[in-house]
Amino acid sequence: MRILRRVILFLPFYMIITASKDNHTEINIKYKMNPSIKTEEVTYHSGDKICKGFVAYDENIKGKRPVVIIVHEWWGLNDYARSRARKIAALGYFAFVADLFGNGQIAKNPDEARAFTKPYYTHPENALQPMEDAMKKAAEFHQADISETCAMGYCFGGFIVVNAAKEGAPLKGVVSFHGRLVGVGFQKNLLQAKILICQGGDDEYAPLADQLAFKKSMDSIGADYIFISYPGAKHAYTNPESTELGRKFNMPMAYNAAADSASWKDMQSFFLTQFK
């Protein structure tokens, strides 16, 4: 286990590329030379929901590439989630944004968001099926190497990907950005994924007690995880719209460009170690 307070120096992006597997190196270099990001809406089923996911990949890349499942914030699969998928595709991965609410529903305010997320926060074991269903749909694309899959999530989505991993989702790694740290307990015989937690240092939705309990639970089973705290960053620090949303709904959250950039680099480094 590693606990960091964002003082790591990262290599430039072109140097990071050279550290990856040969085929993945080729993918990223091709993107830089001749990018062509294709996106599309996809419909799939998850439980009793008809879901509307979002896919992004570089259509100029030939052959399969690693998959990154993305889970949205508690607002739903909106333009912010789509923008992150495009950025993931720009790294040479196959990005699939899962729709956890069904029918592409978007919360207009915190009350609606609480209603959409309550079934998961109340029963965190419900995180597994949507992850498996999203992976099943992603596997239908010939560009996706589903045997090489990681997941990432923001806020509510971070809670989902971590809890899906706890429940045994077949993932190589998961990344949580400003996600809540509660949910089902860790079981060594179920956890397959390595975990990266990218937490705002001033996130009121992840209090110190929750952080300590999370780390204690992980340590108790000898789990492989990294916990990074970004000093001064509040909840939802990766979303440029969070400052205005915080003012509008009187919520303690704000965009932090430095933490957003740093956590994205940390995620890239983490994925390179998982997809080797």
Side-chain angles (χ1 to χ4, degrees), residues 35 195 200 238 242 257:
I195 296 176
T238 64
S242 62

Side-chain angles (χ1 to χ4, degrees), residues 169-186:
L171 299 162
K172 286 186 169 293
V174 299
V175 183
S176 170
F177 297 91
H178 45 82
R180 291 186 62 189
L181 300 174
V182 296
V184 298
F186 284 96

Side-chain angles (χ1 to χ4, degrees), residues 6 230 237 255-264:
R6 201 57 189 80
Y230 305 91
Y237 65 82
Y255 180 62
N256 186 310
D260 181 19
S261 176
S263 61
W264 189 258

Side-chain angles (χ1 to χ4, degrees), residues 13-209:
F13 185 61
Y14 70 90
M15 290 295 290
I16 290 177
I17 289 174
T18 62
S20 62
K21 283 170 41 175
D22 291 343
N23 60 322
H24 297 165
T25 299
E26 183 180 1
I27 284 171
N28 286 313
I29 290 175
K30 282 184 177 180
Y31 172 77
K32 289 169 72 66
M33 293 173 60
N34 189 21
S36 181
I37 303 301
K38 179 177 176 60
T39 64
E40 60 182 282
E41 306 285 341
V42 296
T43 299
Y44 66 103
H45 288 81
S46 183
D48 60 355
K49 297 184 181 72
I50 297 176
C51 301
K52 296 181 180 180
F54 181 81
V55 164
Y57 58 91
D58 184 351
E59 62 182 349
N60 285 346
I61 296 173
K62 306 304 179 184
K64 295 181 180 293
R65 77 279 332 250
V67 175
V68 178
I69 305 294
I70 303 170
V71 183
H72 51 75
E73 298 175 296
W74 79 335
W75 305 112
L77 203 170
N78 54 17
D79 287 341
Y80 172 69
R82 294 184 183 93
S83 72
R84 292 286 152 154
R86 293 186 183 94
K87 290 184 68 174
I88 287 294
L91 298 177
Y93 301 128
F94 182 91
F96 185 101
V97 188
D99 172 18
L100 273 283
F101 301 159
N103 292 313
Q105 295 180 96
I106 301 294
K108 301 181 185 66
N109 53 61
D111 287 339
E112 290 186 1
R114 290 187 190 97
F116 284 140
T117 57
K118 184 178 179 179
Y120 298 100
Y121 282 131
T122 304
H123 299 284
E125 65 275 10
N126 289 342
L128 180 60
Q129 183 174 357
M131 181 62 64
E132 292 180 333
D133 292 335
M135 293 177 67
K136 182 179 179 181
K137 183 62 180 181
E140 295 179 6
F141 289 80
H142 67 83
Q143 299 91 349
D145 181 359
I146 205 66
S147 69
E148 295 281 322
T149 301
C150 283
M152 57 189 279
Y154 295 88
C155 179
F156 162 73
F159 164 86
I160 290 293
V161 300
V162 171
N163 278 280
K166 291 178 183 180
E167 289 286 291
L171 299 162
K172 286 186 169 293
V174 299
V175 183
S176 170
F177 297 91
H178 45 82
R180 291 186 62 189
L181 300 174
V182 296
V184 298
F186 284 96
Q187 298 183 53
K188 190 171 185 177
N189 63 318
L190 291 179
L191 182 64
Q192 302 179 52
K194 296 180 181 178
I195 296 176
L196 170 62
I197 302 295
C198 297
Q199 204 69 40
D202 290 346
D203 189 339
E204 295 183 29
Y205 294 100
L208 181 60

Side-chain angles (χ1 to χ4, degrees), residues 219-270:
D219 292 338
S220 70
I221 64 168
D224 190 342
Y225 75 102
I226 304 171
F227 193 108
I228 304 179
S229 177
Y230 305 91
K234 295 184 178 181
H235 186 64
Y237 65 82
T238 64
N239 189 337
E241 296 182 0
S242 62
T243 302
E244 180 57 33
L245 288 169
R247 294 193 188 104
K248 181 178 181 180
F249 296 116
N250 192 29
M251 299 175 67
M253 60 193 215
Y255 180 62
N256 186 310
D260 181 19
S261 176
S263 61
W264 189 258
K265 291 176 183 177
D266 288 329
M267 178 214 70
Q268 290 183 68
S269 179
F270 179 77

